[in-house]
Amino acid sequence: MVQVDLITGFLGAGKTTFLRRYVRYLVQQGHKVCILENDFGAVNVDAMLVQEVLGPGCDVETISGGCDCDTHQRRMRTKLIAMAMRGFDRVVVEPSGIFDVDEFFDILRDDPLDRWYQLGSVIAIVDALLPETLSPQAEYLLASETMNAGCVLLSRAQLAAPAQCAAAAAHLERALEAAKSSRRFGFAPGEILAKDWDALTDADLAALAACGYRQASCEKLHFDQHAAFTSLCFLELHLTPEQLQAAAQRLFAAPECGQVLRVKGFAPAPAGGWLELNATAAGCTLAPIPQGQEVVIVIGEGLDKAAIEANLKG
């Protein structure tokens, strides 16, 4: 059977950054891997971000854009059926940051997927610099996307003080309690890993690849995820990397734009190639990337498109 791993986490937590490192490790171990990227935005930026790991041992499939639950399940099921016929022995699924994990488990129980796939590890990414307060919908997603994880991996741990890492873990516990989840963290060794990702060893990655998952439940918060969270796409703004970074920082400081949770996109590098922007309220990075296009994706709650466009253009 094909082992399928799930990498979950809220918007901007750092799932794609970790996925690149994780998949590179799996390929080095001799696995033939396929990545399934499910991006919330109409343009699948995250699929571009994994291009550097693609090759003879790794391929990618994508599902882009918001859609209703039934349509999304059909798309994911179709993709998984096609991937099972291509000879991969490992599939790594990176869903969007507003994904209902129960939906994924339901799909794997369907025939014929239940005969072709077995669930391996669920790895949840949580920002060590997690804001103290989130909306009720965001708190619910934080709980629901982590409660089945075999391990929670804190992102940006190298930028956080030990007290901030502890605060993020405490925040996760509060979110699980508010969602009336049966899951709690911190009682078993290795359930929460706070470590600079550049320092992750093969032993660390092997442990994550074998961390498994937990059976857990919570009280459903019923809301329209695509109404609560909005993804806006802006093309051909012709911004320099410095302009793009400054524009992203303006969005998080501009209340008229709404509650901006994540900004991602690309800008041409001065010396050729592309730079990838990944920004949350906690910080902003620009990193070289082999492929890109002039696109900026803004994701958040109660977004005002005109105000965001005005801030992006400066």
Side-chain angles (χ1 to χ4, degrees):
M1 298 180 78
V2 180
Q3 179 167 320
V4 54
D5 296 337
L6 182 67
I7 298 177
T8 69
F10 191 54
L11 297 164
K15 297 185 298 298
T16 307
T17 301
F18 171 71
L19 179 141
R20 289 184 294 200
R21 181 74 184 276
Y22 183 63
V23 168
R24 192 179 294 113
Y25 165 79
L26 293 177
V27 171
Q28 289 170 351
Q29 302 309 303
H31 292 288
K32 188 176 181 185
V33 183
C34 193
I35 302 165
L36 180 55
E37 279 286 354
N38 173 204
D39 204 330
F40 179 50
V43 177
N44 199 322
V45 170
D46 290 343
M48 298 183 212
L49 301 181
V50 302
Q51 295 297 313
E52 66 185 61
V53 300
L54 302 184
C58 182
D59 205 348
V60 63
E61 294 284 348
T62 64
I63 303 172
S64 295
C67 55
D68 64 86
C69 179
D70 290 341
T71 301
H72 186 271
Q73 286 197 14
R74 286 196 301 272
R75 289 179 181 177
M76 182 171 281
R77 187 175 186 274
T78 300
K79 288 287 187 182
L80 287 169
I81 288 173
M83 292 159 68
M85 296 177 177
R86 294 174 56 192
F88 300 105
D89 65 275
R90 198 84 170 226
V91 168
V92 181
V93 179
E94 183 195 356
S96 79
I98 60 167
F99 183 74
D100 187 339
V101 177
D102 285 344
E103 179 182 327
F104 176 74
F105 292 144
D106 290 343
I107 293 169
L108 285 189
R109 296 188 189 103
D110 287 347
D111 182 71
L113 296 181
D114 61 343
R115 293 184 279 112
W116 296 345
Y117 287 98
Q118 62 180 359
L119 183 58
S121 293
V122 176
I123 304 167
I125 311 299
V126 173
D127 193 343
L129 301 174
L130 192 66
E132 180 67 21
T133 304
L134 298 171
S135 70
Q137 293 89 348
E139 292 282 357
Y140 167 76
L141 288 172
L142 175 64
S144 66
E145 291 173 347
T146 55
M147 68 181 183
N148 299 109
C151 181
V152 166
L153 180 60
L154 294 186
S155 61
R156 302 184 181 91
Q158 75 278 13
L159 303 177
Q164 290 173 302
C165 291
H171 189 160
L172 176 56
E173 290 295 309
R174 293 197 304 274
L176 290 164
E177 184 176 0
K180 296 182 171 58
S181 174
S182 58
R183 182 68 189 279
R184 292 293 186 273
F185 285 92
F187 298 107
E191 279 194 326
I192 297 180
L193 177 61
K195 187 174 184 178
D196 184 345
W197 289 4
D198 288 338
L200 290 175
T201 64
D202 283 357
D204 292 325
L205 292 164
L208 288 166
C211 71
Y213 64 98
R214 307 291 185 272
Q215 294 285 354
S217 62
C218 71
E219 186 176 90
K220 284 280 189 180
L221 178 63
H222 296 285
F223 64 99
D224 185 341
Q225 294 175 350
H226 297 287
F229 298 93
T230 306
S231 175
L232 300 177
C233 176
F234 301 89
L235 296 168
E236 305 297 332
L237 295 175
H238 306 300
L239 300 175
T240 66
E242 294 76 18
Q243 288 171 331
L244 180 57
Q245 190 169 28
Q249 292 168 341
R250 283 197 299 271
L251 295 182
F252 292 106
E256 69 274 13
C257 293
Q259 183 63 43
V260 176
L261 297 170
R262 187 181 183 193
V263 182
K264 55 185 178 178
F266 306 96
W274 293 87
L275 291 173
E276 164 214 343
L277 172 85
N278 188 5
T280 66
C284 180
T285 60
L286 278 169
I289 195 79
Q291 298 182 33
Q293 69 180 84
E294 289 198 29
V295 59
V296 180
I297 305 292
V298 181
I299 302 174
E301 300 172 89
L303 298 183
D304 185 306
K305 185 173 183 178
I308 290 172
E309 188 166 17
N311 275 274
L312 285 173
K313 292 180 177 179

